[in-house]
Every structure is written in C-alpha cells, then in structure tokens.
Amino acid sequence: MDYPDDFNTPAFPAGPSIAISRFMAIASSVLFVVIIFVCIILLWTMRSQRIDPFIVSVNEFTGQWVVMHHSHGNNPFQFEYTAIKSMQESVVGNFTANWFTISENVADNDAMWQTCNRTQECGNESNLKYGDKTCALFCASGEDLFSRFIYNVVPDYQKRVAAGERWIVDKTQIQIEPAAEITESGGTWNILVTVQSNINGEMQVLGFVKVARNTGLYPQTLGYYVADFNTYRIN
C-alpha cells in the first residue's frame, strides 16, 4: 500500500494531511530548483550581453553610409575615436564657425574679433557667460594666425558689414575629417563648410586646418588651438 495516500481510514486520520504536506514539500523543492536554474540562465544571459556601438558617417551629397568604427575590428574604415580627436574636432568646428560669422550686431563682431589678454579672457579663470563669443577667435588661434586675421580678413569683413552683409554658419553641417595622423600634440584636418550670406547666397568653402597644442596658453581646450587656417571657396 502507498502511505499515506492509501491510509485514508478512521484508524489513520492524519493520512490526508500528511499526503498534502508531502505534495507541497515536493512541489516547493521542484519550484526552488526551477528558480535556481532560471537565476543561473539570467546571470549567464546578462554576462553574455554587451554594448556594441558603432559610428556611421553619412555623405551629405551622395547619401552613402559608411561604418567608421566598430568593435568587431573587421571594417577597413575603422579608426579609434579618442578624446584627443574629439577635442581637436570641437576646436576646429567652433573656430571655423566663428571665422565665417558676420553678425548684424556690430558690437558682437567687435567682441569676437578683438585682441584679448590670454590670462584673463582665455584662462580657466575666465568668467564669460555660456554662449558669449567675446575673444572667441583670439582664444582659439595662434599669434601669427590671429595677426593675419586682424590685418587681412577683418578689413574685408568690416566692408561687408558696412554694406549690410551678414554671414551665418550652421555648425552641425560642417564636415570635418582628418587629413593626416592625429596625435596628442595636434594634427591636420580637412573641412567643408557652407556659409549663408544674405547678399551672395550660399557659399561652399573647403579648408585645411592645422591644430597644435600649448597647455599653458590654451587651458580651456586642453591646450589645443588652431595654428594655421587656409580656406578656398569652391562655388
């Protein structure tokens, strides 16, 4: 006979409750084993998963997509997108936009084009508000380049201002690519920028930018600054 299932008699009144207790104990044991198994599967799944990001470059003119970086390491276009490259690209993009900006507000132009004190206006102690372009070009360019800008470019810009011309650059549309090896001390970059003029319409400009580093004079950008800037209008 099967105890306690077959002992549901007056002589054994505890038989049914013992049978139920045994069933609950077996079910609880099975459920406990299942929970342990599921936890092991979850842990294995979580450890097997990983974030696998990649960078895609889209050609503005052809619409072609190119995978620029992928962790699998099997892409011929792969390159390491480091903080050094990111910082230099940021310096190049901001400098390019500021170089080709002519505001309708004369005071804004004068503030951005003025010669400044590197310690006070360009140091970490600078208290300029976010978005204030005062000394923007001076604090991001080398001495020779800024002198060239003041003597060769600003006079032409002032004539354009007097004629009512305004230039606007959309920074999100600036194309920036390395022209040579980018190192911790700097590098050379290619740029393609579209300048919107209220008189001359849309102008496309191709340029070459040389970035150098001096941590003592340019602390706001980890020492990176534009040492040379050559551009050519292509339309």
Side-chain angles (χ1 to χ4, degrees):
M1 298 179 67
D2 185 15
Y3 179 85
D5 295 330
D6 294 339
F7 284 78
N8 185 15
T9 64
F12 299 96
S17 61
I18 293 176
I20 294 174
S21 298
R22 186 183 68 168
F23 173 78
M24 295 301 296
I26 294 174
S28 299
S29 299
V30 173
L31 182 60
F32 182 72
V33 172
V34 172
I35 292 174
I36 293 177
F37 178 75
V38 172
C39 289
I40 293 175
I41 294 297
L42 289 175
L43 289 174
W44 177 80
T45 303
M46 292 176 63
R47 292 189 176 184
S48 299
Q49 291 180 344
R50 67 174 183 174
I51 299 175
D52 192 17
F54 57 90
I55 298 174
V56 175
S57 173
V58 182
N59 189 298
E60 182 181 2
F61 303 103
T62 65
Q64 181 180 5
W65 288 37
V66 176
V67 177
M68 301 301 295
H69 173 72
H70 199 282
S71 62
H72 292 167
N74 57 357
N75 193 299
F77 298 100
Q78 178 177 341
F79 71 93
E80 184 180 2
Y81 204 83
T82 63
I84 293 174
K85 290 180 179 178
S86 299
M87 177 55 69
Q88 292 188 40
E89 185 173 330
S90 175
V91 170
V92 170
N94 290 330
F95 184 88
T96 300
N98 292 332
W99 183 284
F100 289 110
T101 295
I102 301 178
S103 174
E104 61 182 358
N105 189 322
V106 176
D108 290 344
N109 293 328
D110 293 340
M112 186 164 60
W113 301 341
Q114 67 177 311
T115 303
C116 306
N117 184 291
R118 292 205 179 276
T119 302
Q120 296 178 2
E121 282 82 13
C122 305
N124 286 327
E125 297 77 12
S126 174
N127 56 2
L128 293 178
K129 296 180 180 179
Y130 178 77
D132 190 343
K133 296 299 185 67
T134 302
C135 306
L137 283 169
F138 179 85
C139 292
S141 60
E143 300 293 343
D144 293 339
L145 175 60
F146 187 75
S147 296
R148 196 174 79 204
F149 175 77
I150 291 296
Y151 291 107
N152 298 339
V153 179
V154 170
D156 176 66
Y157 281 6
Q158 290 174 337
K159 292 179 181 178
R160 295 179 184 274
V161 171
E165 187 171 5
R166 307 290 178 260
W167 284 6
I168 300 176
V169 174
D170 184 356
K171 290 197 295 184
T172 63
Q173 300 299 319
I174 301 176
Q175 297 185 33
I176 307 174
E177 296 181 354
E181 181 181 3
I182 306 301
T183 67
E184 187 175 354
S185 59
T188 303
W189 298 79
N190 292 330
I191 61 169
L192 180 62
V193 56
T194 300
V195 181
Q196 298 287 347
S197 170
N198 63 330
I199 293 180
N200 296 313
E202 187 176 281
M203 301 176 289
Q204 284 193 332
V205 179
L206 177 68
F208 302 90
V209 185
K210 182 179 180 181
V211 176
R213 193 177 193 187
N214 186 323
T215 55
L217 296 179
Y218 304 88
Q220 294 179 340
T221 54
L222 300 181
Y224 293 111
Y225 67 97
V226 177
D228 200 6
F229 188 79
N230 295 286
T231 58
Y232 312 88
R233 181 176 176 178
I234 58 177
N235 76 331

